[in-house]
Structures are given as C-alpha cells and as structure tokens.
Amino acid sequence: MRLATWNVNSVKARLPRLLPWLEQTRPDVLCVQETKVAADGFPAGEVRELGYDTAHHGEGRWNGVALLSRVGLEDVRRGFDGDPGWSGEPGGDEALFDEPRREARAVSALCGGVRVWSVYVPNGRTPESAHYGYKLTWLEGLRLAVAADLGAGERVAVCGDYNVAPADSDVFDPAAFIGSTHVTKPERDALAALRDTGLVDIVPKPMKGPNPFTYWDYRAGMFHQDKGMRIDLVYASPAIAGAVEGAYIDREARKGKGPSDHAPVVIDFDI
C-alpha cells in the first residue's frame, strides 16, 4: 500500500496541483488537511475520475479533512467521541461561547484493512491563549479514540498536520521557536502519549538535504533556505511500521506556482 498525507491549504486553490500529483504518485490512500470547503464542497468528481473515492469532513473556509482511497472506504467516522470542541470563533484565540463547537479536524475509515485517520490538530496560537489549552485537550481526545481502535485489534495509521514538531531536530533553529507553540513540552508530551498507545513515528527521508521538514512558511526565502519544520506526521501501528519499504517527503510538490506551504509525505508498506 502507498499511503500519503498532505496539508493542501485549500483544496480548491490547490486542485491544479493535486490532480497531476495524484496521477503521478498514485497513492492508494491520501489523507488531506485544510480543505477549507463546506461538507459538500470537496471536488469528489474530479478525483473520482482518477479512481478515488472520497470521505470528506468540512465546514467552509476553515479546517476540513478528507480521505481519498482506491482501496475502499468502510466504516467512515467524521470526528471522534471525546472531541472537546472549540468555544471561540474559527481562527480566534479566545474562548467566547458557553457551548463548544466540534470542528472538522478528523476523519477515519477502513482502507484496505487499515484504519486510516486524517487529522488536522489545532494550531494553539500562543501558549498563553485559550486555543493552546484546546489543542492539548483535543490531542488527549484523539489519544483515547486511537487507543480504542488499537484495543479493538485494528491496524492503525494516524496521518496529518499535527502542528507539533516532535523534537528540536524537527525545526530549523530551536532558538527561533522559544516562547512559541509547536515545540513546547506539553505539546510534545501529548504527542508522546499518543505514540505510547502503541504507535511508531515513521520518519520520512527528505528528497534534498539532511532535514526531514514538511512545512516551510510562505515568507520569502524560508523554503529555499530550508528553514522549515517537521509537523506532518505518520504514526502507525507496529505491523505497518515494520513493513515499511520506503518513506519520503515530496519536496518537489512544494515548488513552482501556487504551492501549499506543506509538502506531501509518502509511505510505502507491504502487509
């Protein structure tokens, strides 16, 4: 199976990049994040012409996740029990409302015998904001949901934009991130707790240079100077991790006209 994950940063804007990439790379399953379209707004017809079924969980101009599969989509689940929801405005820092609203940040399905998750973890904004607490609570809810899947005996791959760099080696300069989200100890502890459910971090190889970065800010020079982060991750159960034949970051997809600020991660395994 070829499994991939890609934060496209708006599927409509990125469709001219997505369709040729699917034709060339031919993943069996692609996990997509930040679709930024309504529930019925995903271009399912276009990807169906390439042989992909779609499971999308969207909410308009914010968030949104999807699974594209050539090997089946069974038992589709949008969201998860224990999702705490966000009590503020989409894109906002502060909790403003009494009733939290669950955002479109997770979708999972059985694809070729594997429970595949596409996740878009909350950003956290700043360590002082309410959104940061929401991020940690959301990750704990995800941990419990994934633990339930593993406890049911499923082979699991949790893929997506985690908005957390697991270690200092996963950012271009740890000193540049002091006081920022994505690198704090509570965030990394939450990732470690997710891995401790029985998952393995499959670290892909970069196509160029020594750094396995998957995200580079759009600001001038960040990509060309390789000032990036590894925040797009594939956490998989041992049966999958032990069968990996190759894993790479498709840095070429970050180049050219109108790219996402993330590069796809591609994993090949045989189980």
Side-chain angles (χ1 to χ4, degrees), residues 130-147:
H131 204 263
Y132 179 83
Y134 164 54
K135 179 179 191 174
L136 298 179
T137 306
W138 194 94
L139 279 166
E140 172 61 11
L142 177 66
R143 183 190 71 81
L144 293 173
V146 170

Side-chain angles (χ1 to χ4, degrees), residues 60-268:
R61 61 187 290 251
W62 303 97
N63 308 318
V65 285
L67 293 167
L68 311 183
S69 177
R70 300 190 299 156
V71 293
L73 282 170
E74 301 177 21
D75 191 21
V76 174
R77 304 173 188 169
R78 292 171 173 84
F80 54 84
D81 292 340
D83 181 339
W86 170 232
S87 299
E89 296 285 356
D93 296 347
E94 301 304 324
L96 302 172
F97 312 117
D98 293 334
E99 291 296 326
R101 179 184 63 87
R102 290 187 173 187
E103 299 182 307
R105 293 188 174 274
V107 62
S108 73
L110 288 172
C111 305
V114 177
R115 169 65 60 181
V116 180
W117 286 76
S118 178
V119 301
Y120 178 47
V121 176
N123 179 283
R125 314 290 188 237
T126 69
E128 296 77 27
S129 77
H131 204 263
Y132 179 83
Y134 164 54
K135 179 179 191 174
L136 298 179
T137 306
W138 194 94
L139 279 166
E140 172 61 11
L142 177 66
R143 183 190 71 81
L144 293 173
V146 170
D149 289 343
L150 291 167
E154 293 187 329
R155 293 177 292 190
V156 174
V158 187
C159 315
D161 179 357
Y162 281 73
N163 272 314
V164 184
D168 281 353
S169 58
D170 295 310
V171 299
F172 72 91
D173 180 6
F177 292 88
I178 293 174
S180 301
T181 56
H182 293 55
V183 299
T184 66
K185 187 177 186 301
E187 291 169 290
R188 288 176 171 172
D189 286 348
L191 275 192
L194 178 60
R195 290 193 302 271
D196 286 346
T197 61
L199 300 177
V200 178
D201 182 1
I202 301 176
V203 181
K205 295 180 180 179
M207 296 179 84
K208 178 182 178 181
N211 300 312
F213 300 152
T214 63
Y215 164 84
W216 301 261
D217 193 282
Y218 281 129
R219 287 177 294 174
M222 297 294 280
F223 177 64
H224 298 293
Q225 296 176 64
D226 202 24
K227 292 184 176 180
M229 310 173 71
R230 184 173 79 96
I231 57 175
D232 301 88
L233 311 174
V234 175
Y235 282 0
S237 52
I240 296 171
V244 169
E245 298 175 338
Y248 70 94
I249 300 160
D250 190 351
R251 196 174 185 275
E252 293 298 308
R254 178 61 175 78
K255 296 180 179 179
K257 182 179 179 181
S260 170
D261 45 2
H262 296 250
V265 176
V266 182
I267 310 291
D268 290 309

